[in-house]
Amino acid sequence: MKKKLLLLAAFTVLLALTCIGCKKESDTLTKVTLNEVAHSIFYAPQYVAIQEGYFAEEGIELELVTGFGADKTMTAVVSGDADIGFMGSESTIYAYNEGASDYVVNFAQLTQRAGNFLVARQDMPDFTWSDLKGKNVLGGRKGGMPEMVFEYILKQNGLNPATDLNIDQSIDFGSTAAAFSGGQGDFTVEFEPGATSLEKEGSGHVVASLGTDSGYVPYTAYSAKGSFIKKNPEIIQGFTDALQKGMDYVNCHTPEEIAKIIEPQFKETDLATITTIVKRYHEQETWKDNMVFEENSFNLLQDILDNAGELSQRAPYDKLVNTSFAQKAAK
């Protein structure tokens, strides 16, 4: 009896010692809050990284918050409500030019093309941008990347956005598809799933890709306050490494495989629609091979801002872009 008690006591001690060395995975992770400008299939590599557990592999417990607008995402980063922001880099330029002392720095670029499409009421297989002359188009917010890229394309094709067509900028982001379906406008500029939804319901037809016709544009990037990056380089590196794994996945898998992985992120959208959208983005080379934000891309972005009359002065690349984390992740 005494021997059994001794064995039981020894087992209990061993079990206690074992449990001390077995902390739950959640206890070992560092919580990082990411505020994304929108929740969109356009950002598929990010959702692959989430669903495949790449952030957890890098010691990060990711809290994802949708800002519904670059201005709101930037506010969250500046206020400290978010550690990292995901938005158009024009916001970091605006903030810097306004005199921010602890300015927000871009450290990884995700998309290299615009993610929106021009939708017409009828199918137009021979569409040219000159077809917009004299037409009413539902556009985007003034100063935002969707609208600026749209106007950039118009000017590249010899159209004056102010006089050659009427661009309605009064409709809230996310509501233009419903407005178009309800009869407003001859054309609308739509992100997904708006463009595909209009096609599926028979209310419109995609006639052009702004991503294809604008060329390679640094559309969205990850950024954080300079002070946060300086204080937490290991978090920024782990975060970037996780995203690079997501980027690698989408660049070597089929749209069908990608769609199946990210399906849980878009419960309101059926798998067939997700696959159609992923294929559309995949075919136009939306996602970079690596996440390095190149200087020529930053200069092109400022050219677009300047072209739209939104740039008070050009911002320095070496202050607003840190490529060290993306370069290391790409190796």
Side-chain angles (χ1 to χ4, degrees), residues 30-325:
T30 300
K31 185 176 179 180
V32 174
T33 301
L34 168 65
N35 190 298
E36 59 177 2
V37 64
H39 197 70
S40 170
I41 297 167
F42 185 38
Y43 312 133
Q46 172 180 288
Y47 306 122
V48 168
I50 292 172
Q51 294 301 129
E52 291 294 275
Y54 297 151
F55 288 105
E57 288 177 5
E58 297 298 333
I60 293 173
E61 178 189 346
L62 190 70
E63 179 187 12
L64 184 63
V65 178
T66 304
F68 298 104
D71 53 341
K72 297 179 180 64
T73 295
M74 175 59 79
T75 297
V77 173
V78 171
S79 68
D81 287 340
D83 301 309
I84 296 171
F86 178 53
M87 58 192 145
S89 298
E90 75 280 359
S91 295
T92 66
I93 295 173
Y94 296 154
Y96 179 85
N97 283 344
E98 287 171 2
S101 54
D102 188 7
Y103 46 86
V104 177
V105 177
N106 301 284
F107 62 85
Q109 180 188 335
L110 186 76
T111 55
Q112 62 180 0
R113 288 192 186 275
N116 42 4
F117 301 87
L118 184 70
V119 179
R121 295 207 171 274
Q122 296 83 32
D123 191 16
M124 302 174 67
D126 299 318
F127 170 82
T128 64
W129 289 96
S130 61
D131 291 331
L132 294 183
K133 197 161 187 177
K135 303 297 184 181
N136 295 314
V137 182
L138 307 186
R141 175 178 60 85
K142 177 176 169 55
M145 277 300 287
E147 178 63 23
M148 289 190 294
V149 169
F150 177 46
E151 293 184 11
Y152 176 77
I153 292 172
L154 293 176
K155 291 176 181 178
Q156 293 293 105
N157 286 273
L159 292 173
N160 186 324
T163 60
D164 287 334
L165 64 159
N166 175 50
I167 303 175
D168 186 346
Q169 296 179 287
S170 66
I171 303 172
D172 187 50
F173 176 80
S175 300
T176 51
F180 187 75
S181 182
Q184 290 183 243
D186 303 306
F187 295 82
T188 182
V189 178
E190 293 295 329
F191 272 98
E192 295 288 14
T196 297
S197 295
L198 286 170
E199 284 193 321
K200 287 185 70 175
E201 68 181 40
S203 298
H205 300 267
V206 172
V207 295
S209 163
L210 276 72
T212 298
D213 289 0
S214 62
Y216 291 114
V217 174
Y219 207 78
T220 45
Y222 296 89
S223 54
K225 287 195 293 188
S227 60
F228 183 86
I229 295 174
K230 185 176 181 179
K231 185 179 179 181
N232 302 283
E234 70 291 341
I235 291 177
I236 297 296
Q237 188 63 64
F239 182 91
T240 308
D241 289 346
L243 287 169
Q244 184 63 59
K245 293 176 186 177
M247 192 79 82
D248 293 341
Y249 186 99
V250 299
N251 282 314
C252 65
H253 286 77
T254 66
E256 289 77 13
E257 291 170 323
I258 298 166
K260 192 171 182 179
I261 291 292
I262 68 173
E263 183 184 12
Q265 288 283 329
F266 301 95
K267 292 181 172 63
E268 73 288 352
T269 307
D270 62 86
L271 182 59
T273 299
I274 296 173
T275 303
T276 297
I277 295 170
V278 171
K279 185 176 182 181
R280 196 168 262 164
Y281 285 136
H282 201 273
E283 289 177 344
Q284 69 175 33
E285 299 180 325
T286 293
W287 306 298
K288 285 169 59 66
D289 291 331
N290 61 63
M291 307 193 72
V292 179
F293 197 153
E294 305 286 356
E295 185 169 6
N296 60 348
S297 296
F298 189 75
N299 290 337
L300 173 58
L301 172 62
Q302 296 204 85
D303 288 344
I304 293 172
L305 299 181
D306 201 14
N307 188 65
E310 297 292 336
L311 192 64
S312 59
Q313 60 181 357
R314 295 184 83 88
Y317 171 78
D318 59 351
K319 287 187 179 294
L320 289 189
V321 179
N322 183 332
T323 62
S324 62
F325 302 102

Side-chain angles (χ1 to χ4, degrees), residues 1-21:
M1 183 68 179
K2 184 182 288 186
K3 187 175 181 181
K4 287 184 177 179
L5 288 173
L6 287 172
L7 285 172
L8 181 60
F11 178 76
T12 303
V13 171
L14 179 62
L15 181 62
L17 289 172
T18 302
C19 288
I20 289 173

